Amino acid sequence: MALMDKWRAMAYDTKNNDRGKMQKLWDDYFKEEKRVYSEILKNPDEEIKGTVAELAERFGLSVMYMTAFLEGINESLKKENPIEEMEEDTEVSLAYDKELLYKNMVDAKADWLYNLPEWDAIFDKAKRDELYKEAKQAGTVKHEAPKIYPNDPCPCGSGKKYKKCCGKAG
């Protein structure tokens, strides 16, 4: 069984896992995740590479927590890792795109990550504000209202022409 399958069974299977244990697992994981991000953000241009097991040891994580971390950062990497097929001896890289990582943290509503003080040395406040705004707007769907002409049926559904219904001036 691939590591991702094991992690998902452990972290998401509410039918076979006790909710209290799962909550503790997630609480513990989020603390470790924050610690690892603090560490890798200190040298944002360093490409950290190794096997899943080597990186787990380097960061003091269990292999399962390293697997979860790799899943979380994967879309922010310059080249995604093969997370679905990963085993302990799979070579992976943590070379991330700084702007994309920040925006993905915002998109995930992970304020404990995008508010880490290590970001201050990477982006100034104006740049972080710009990236935050871009991330928030990326999920916003904008629909332009169709142009309504005076003789069109009124969009309120009355059956009257727009000019005789909602389109009356004052």
Side-chain angles (χ1 to χ4, degrees):
M1 180 185 277
L3 292 174
M4 278 310 303
D5 294 331
K6 290 177 188 173
W7 167 250
R8 289 177 180 142
M10 190 168 84
Y12 299 108
D13 186 359
T14 56
K15 291 180 184 174
N16 297 315
N17 294 328
D18 174 78
R19 287 193 187 273
K21 285 182 184 176
M22 287 178 66
Q23 185 61 49
K24 180 173 178 2
L25 172 111
W26 281 105
D27 290 345
D28 292 345
Y29 170 73
F30 288 139
K31 285 180 206 159
E32 293 299 314
E33 177 190 43
K34 183 177 178 180
R35 181 183 58 77
V36 174
Y37 273 116
S38 292
E39 201 170 319
I40 69 170
L41 288 171
K42 288 176 184 167
N43 296 307
D45 297 317
E46 175 189 1
E47 181 180 6
I48 300 168
K49 292 168 74 169
T51 66
V52 175
E54 289 168 348
L55 292 183
E57 185 176 331
R58 175 178 175 169
F59 292 109
L61 296 175
S62 69
V63 170
M64 285 295 96
Y65 279 6
M66 190 71 231
T67 301
F69 184 84
L70 289 165
E71 179 186 30
I73 197 172
N74 208 42
E75 290 182 3
S76 303
L77 299 176
K78 292 177 181 176
K79 182 176 184 262
E80 290 188 10
N81 291 311
I83 61 169
E84 295 300 328
E85 298 86 36
M86 275 187 324
E87 296 296 341
E88 289 189 38
D89 61 351
T90 303
E91 288 280 334
V92 293
S93 169
L94 296 180
Y96 57 91
D97 177 304
K98 295 176 282 241
E99 290 187 6
L100 185 57
L101 179 61
Y102 188 86
K103 290 193 278 189
N104 285 341
M105 288 175 171
V106 170
D107 189 48
K109 298 175 178 61
D111 59 331
W112 65 95
L113 298 177
Y114 67 78
N115 284 325
L116 284 168
E118 287 78 9
W119 283 111
D120 296 342
I122 299 170
F123 300 125
D124 62 22
K125 176 147 177 33
K127 181 65 174 179
R128 286 192 314 276
D129 290 347
E130 174 190 326
L131 293 171
Y132 183 90
K133 187 176 177 182
E134 285 176 21
K136 289 296 186 182
Q137 287 178 340
T140 304
V141 178
K142 295 180 182 174
H143 295 285
E144 296 229 3
K147 174 81 171 132
I148 302 170
Y149 295 95
N151 288 323
D152 288 346
C154 191
C156 77
S158 67
K160 297 179 182 178
K161 289 184 179 184
Y162 178 69
K163 67 182 179 187
K164 298 280 187 182
C165 190
C166 295
K168 284 184 179 178

